[in-house]
Amino acid sequence: MKATPWLDVLDEAVRSCVAHDREDLAQRLRVRRAELAGPKVRVVILGGRGQGKSQLLNGLLGATVCAVGDDMTTTVPAVVEYASSPVAALVPGTRPPSVEARCGEDTLLLEGPVPSLPALTSAAERQSVSVDSATAVANRSSGVLRVEIGLPRKLLETGLTLVDTPAYGPEPNEHTHAALSTLPHADAVLLTTDVTRDLSPAEIDVLERVLGLCPTAAVVLTKTDLVPGWQRVVERNRARLERRGLPVTVFPVSSTLRLLAARTNDSRLNDESGFPALLSYLHRELMGNVDVLRRRCVGALTGLAVRQVVSPLRERLTELQRGGDAELIARYRAIGRQLELLQRESSRWQTMLSDEVADLTSDLDYDLRDRTRRILREADEYFEVADPAKDWPEFEEWLRDNLAAAAEANSRWLLDRFEWITRKLASAIAPHRADAFSPDEVLRGAPEGELGELRMPNIEKFTLGQKLFVGMRGSYSGLLMFGLATTLAGMSLINPISLGAGVAFGAKSVFEERGTRLKRRQATARNAAHRYVDDFFLAFGKESKDTVRLIHRELRDRCAAVAQELRTELGDAAQQVKQVIDAEATERGTAMRDVARRIDELELLRRRAEALAPRTVVRGLTA
């Protein structure tokens, strides 16, 4: 058989399935291609239980080939084709596992392994049986895949093959699955239902889904001999199918009248049975338009295969368009927010450091001043009673020791306070980096607090000559005062009383002068101590402030360095994320173009398939 356009479309569909890793689908299409390239035209008779399906096949053949009756139910497909003499055989095999037997187009095409209807077993494996009892024996037997029957009928001589199927039902079972599994191999379908009622919603749903897989189908309304007003039922069903836009032809028939007419050779009964119109449909519209019939089958199969292949591609394209880098973008934006926060926080860290250092400077100055004031108070109290001329060396040692202790305590407090500030900054700036603000690296040591030389003040000595001079001055006053007083009593100026008073006044003057000179020495010593402590306060205070400034600058630079390190880390992280986003965007763009190209190719193939199988109401297949 020479190549035809519809075979080219089917071959393209096979190549597309292989290219998109759907070898299972490609294999099914290859099997179907081999069937379509052959001479046979398979018409599958489908129907529910008790709808006259097997009797319809008997009526078409004009003989009782399929077992019928209230106690007989078809359980395996029966394939009836042309043979020069009557012959029948049971084909053994394992039936496909019972799965959810939905009539969806995708399900029918993709369900588990379904053998093609042509013989796949050797002649030695087949079991020959009588034609009259073939279907009855098959229905009662297990391990039978199908029944193959050959009859010398003119109807079958041109290659028409009729396939009787088990009754399908709403429940998923092996009989329903066996019936539906024949549809992928059907060139046309006859859906049977009796004329005692209108088509049910379930039957219309089955018809719609069957048309998606096999676009050539007809509805056969059986048992017209049992319903007097069957014409009204037929018209209602035709109108209902037209409203649903289903391209099918309706044939009302009576298999009983057909078989009776065949036995009695009664042409009137044969016409009344409705079978002439159905036979004409099979001869003229099916067998007379085999190329159109197969073109429509290829169109439907290819469209279904394309939908199966293109569906995951569309999902992939949607996923790519949606962008799978939302997490990366969120991370990039989070890093940007961290950089902005770091910029604000770095200013806050410097402000916090400046405030802490200002507080420290004030506290250190107050502490040093308080300690020196206490020392001065003790020095003043000491020189209330001590004589500098005698006790200065002891006082000098005591003052040096106390000032050294004050300097050490103030320095230790400075270091402790800066260590606390350092740890506070570390917890605020980089809590995850314990080595960022090591106090041992930041603190440069306390101020030395060296003490200058404490010189003893110039203290005048109360010499013996000075004592004689002060004593004579005081005794003169006493001698003169008391001598004058005693002259009034008739005594001389110098007398024992005036001499005694002069001695007393002289001693008193010496004693008072000695006390005055002691007070003056004590005041001089206190002034010397105050000057010395003031000099120490200025010198050590300057050392402390210099130390504070140095450590402040070190911490400030360390804060800036750590902030810069953090900015660098965040910048590097942002750059890496940006590179990944750009790389993924480039890769995603390439993938989107590739997927879009594949979808366009499949859509072009789908349009070619649609052109082969248009959804039009069929009265003649050439429409």
Side-chain angles (χ1 to χ4, degrees), residues 41 43 188 216 281-290 293 621:
V41 175
V43 177
T216 304
Y281 171 78
L282 296 176
H283 276 294
R284 297 180 181 178
E285 298 183 12
L286 296 187
M287 301 306 299
N289 298 280
V290 173
L293 183 68
L621 289 180

Side-chain angles (χ1 to χ4, degrees), residues 431-453:
H432 59 288
R433 296 179 55 182
D435 60 338
F437 286 88
S438 176
D440 296 335
E441 296 180 3
V442 175
L443 301 182
R444 294 171 176 261
E448 295 296 331
E450 294 182 359
L451 299 176
E453 183 180 358

Side-chain angles (χ1 to χ4, degrees), residues 369-384 398 530:
R369 186 173 295 277
D370 181 64
R371 293 179 187 275
T372 55
R373 286 175 66 88
R374 288 200 299 267
I375 293 173
L376 289 176
R377 283 196 296 268
E378 293 182 13
D380 291 342
E381 293 175 358
Y382 179 78
F383 281 117
E384 288 291 337
W398 172 85
H530 277 259

Side-chain angles (χ1 to χ4, degrees), residues 78-109:
V79 182
V80 183
E81 54 190 1
Y82 179 79
S84 58
S85 60
V87 62
L90 304 182
V91 179
T94 303
R95 299 178 188 178
S98 179
V99 297
E100 187 177 354
R102 295 171 296 181
C103 292
E105 303 166 11
D106 301 351
T107 305
L108 292 174
L109 188 61

Side-chain angles (χ1 to χ4, degrees), residues 93 95 137-138 140-144:
R95 299 178 188 178
V137 172
R140 294 191 300 267
S141 303
S142 60
V144 176

